[in-house]
Amino acid sequence: MTEAFFSARRRTCALNDPMIRSPGQSFRASPRRCLLRCLCTRFPPLPSPEDFPKWAFEPKPYFRFDILHQSKKSLARVGQITTPHGVIDTPGFVAVGTNAALKAIDFPSANNAGQQLIFSNTYHLMLHPGTDTIKEAGGIHKFTGRLNHPFITDSGGFQVFSLAYGSVQESLESGGELKRSKPRGNKRHWRSDVTGQNAVTVTEDHVIFKSYRDGSKVLLTPESSIQAQKAIGADIIIPLDELPPHHIDRDMLAKSLERSHRWEVRSLREHLKDSQTRQQAIFCVVHGGTDVQLRTKSLDYLTSLPWDGYAIGGSLGNGREELKTLLNWMMPLFNTEERKGKCRHLLGIADVQSVQNAVRMGVDTMDSAYPTKLARHGTLMTQAGLIRIKRGQHAKSYGIKIDDSCDCSTCIHYDRAYMCHLFKFFNFSESNEENLLYRNTHFVMNAAKANEPLGLQLASVHNIYFMNKMMAAIRSKIYDGEI
């Protein structure tokens, strides 16, 4: 497949693209319609491994994955990823710092809590502060001051398609219907016209979406996504892919899979242009939903190409049980001699139960905003389960640690009573007529719902520490033959 073909294909798509044919025309073609429009389009065969240079398949001096121990009881393994900015112990948890920042916790505190790899989002960083700004600062490590710890960035595709279909949960609840254009809850900086069927236009060449900051149109291609991630400078980058909703018929899922493959190949070619000097690794994204045949097809094709690691993405089922079923039959396919030497990353899922299931099936790393999101809502993770620290039962838990087995800085210095105070520092009595009167005022209503910022920080430190301590314990159990 030559560059000349890609250029011709882009010109053909451009002629068929109403956004390009009439620059002043508004968004009219939904992602679903664009997918339907391409159902009958014929494309040449995807490139084979022989179409890539031999050096692309050779080990990289700046990126290495070493398997230190393979369990005899399951597919679990202990390993270590070496990157230009530090090592990652696997199985490992990857915290999500969307805007190159974790919510309610700074990087030094996260580092001290054992956090090694941070996942940041290209979509958000493109819109603000802009990839040029990050590049001018010397890359994401210098920009954030996190010099000796690695970053991974995604392509931006997940966030773009979420504008049309919503979050994973919204997509599941809606049956895959396009979102209506509406404000994003309490996100006042989000414009009301950037979501729904008019928000995203998809062609074979690119995606056009609207910025949530000012409504301006932004064009994203496989090539520009890679260029943006190279400007950001993360240690691991992800190719652009298409994320269809969970509820989609098989024919459309198959066409979406084929497009993702074409986009990922374009991303890989763009990456290889300067991969020997940039010192960044690139992971493919295996798609196919919960369809066994399509997942297998995606895995077989992508693992034949010169990627540095494998990510598992797309729709991963409707709940933990479907995810577990998916991993049970899919992960053994990664365990062949030619595939097992590369890292496997599970995209977007890392709650405790899913982590335990995924590790047994040979997943090496997994990312999620789960621990910090729980923390912001006053939920603390412990060996005995989740604690809702806002509940009144904790108000007088003097001297009682959040978790007896935890030695994070939060647990060393603060007890449950103080944490409850930080999250629930306004306590109105329903029977007090005067308080009920005050509660009707806008100011007091907002104050009553507020959290003391320190509480968010301390809870986030605790939950991040809990996740990383749990992963360390899992690695020990694999070594000891318990997993």
Side-chain angles (χ1 to χ4, degrees), residues 155-417:
S155 66
F158 175 82
Q159 286 74 27
V160 169
F161 286 99
S162 293
L163 295 176
Y165 295 110
S167 66
V168 173
Q169 184 62 35
E170 289 171 335
S171 174
L172 292 172
E173 291 174 352
S174 69
E177 291 299 315
L178 291 166
K179 292 175 65 174
R180 296 181 179 180
S181 178
K182 61 182 181 179
R184 301 272 298 201
N186 63 351
K187 296 185 178 180
R188 297 180 182 179
H189 62 287
W190 281 69
R191 293 169 54 94
S192 62
D193 60 344
V194 301
T195 63
Q197 70 178 51
N198 295 323
V200 181
T201 296
V202 184
T203 74
E204 177 62 23
D205 180 64
H206 59 250
V207 179
I208 299 177
F209 61 95
K210 291 184 178 181
S211 167
Y212 65 82
R213 300 184 66 86
D214 58 12
S216 62
K217 296 172 185 176
V218 182
L219 184 145
L220 187 66
T221 69
E223 293 79 11
S224 68
S225 172
I226 294 299
Q227 291 161 7
Q229 293 182 77
K230 286 180 178 290
I232 293 169
D235 300 87
I236 303 170
I237 63 178
I238 302 292
L240 183 64
D241 55 348
E242 184 173 59
L243 184 71
H246 176 71
H247 300 283
I248 186 173
D249 66 66
R250 192 178 187 279
D251 286 343
M252 292 182 69
L253 178 61
K255 295 300 178 182
S256 176
L257 173 68
E258 292 169 4
R259 171 175 283 168
S260 283
H261 286 176
R262 292 190 294 272
W263 281 3
E264 291 192 52
V265 166
R266 286 170 57 186
S267 298
L268 179 58
R269 290 190 184 279
E270 184 67 22
H271 167 69
L272 292 175
K273 289 179 180 179
D274 61 358
S275 64
Q276 293 175 301
T277 57
R278 288 281 190 170
Q279 295 195 348
Q280 291 173 296
I282 185 169
F283 286 13
C284 65
V285 183
V286 175
H287 275 271
T290 56
D291 188 284
V292 175
Q293 184 179 0
L294 294 179
R295 274 278 171 189
T296 303
K297 177 182 178 181
S298 182
L299 190 152
D300 287 343
Y301 175 65
L302 291 174
T303 57
S304 72
L305 303 183
W307 306 97
D308 301 303
Y310 310 133
I312 302 159
S315 174
L316 298 171
N318 186 2
R320 293 191 186 98
E321 286 306 310
E322 280 197 19
L323 170 62
K324 184 177 181 180
T325 300
L326 171 66
L327 294 178
N328 281 346
W329 64 257
M330 180 180 65
M331 293 309 296
L333 301 179
F334 283 105
N335 221 38
T336 61
E337 192 64 34
E338 62 273 15
R339 296 170 181 167
K340 65 182 180 181
K342 292 185 178 180
C343 178
R344 309 151 185 171
H345 179 85
L346 182 62
L347 285 164
I349 296 176
D351 61 276
V352 172
Q353 185 176 334
S354 296
V355 165
Q356 293 169 344
N357 292 334
V359 164
R360 291 180 180 275
M361 299 312 301
V363 172
D364 300 305
T365 54
M366 51 226 84
D367 71 270
S368 178
Y370 179 72
T372 49
K373 185 174 182 179
L374 284 181
R376 295 196 302 278
H377 289 82
T379 300
L380 305 175
M381 307 172 78
T382 75
Q383 294 290 334
L386 300 178
I387 292 179
R388 275 74 178 184
I389 202 65
K390 292 182 180 181
R391 291 180 176 174
Q393 68 191 71
H394 303 298
K396 295 186 178 181
S397 297
Y398 310 123
I400 299 178
K401 293 176 63 175
I402 297 169
D403 188 341
D404 288 336
S405 64
C406 183
D407 54 357
C408 75
S409 60
T410 298
C411 286
I412 289 174
H413 297 291
Y414 307 103
D415 60 14
R416 293 188 185 187

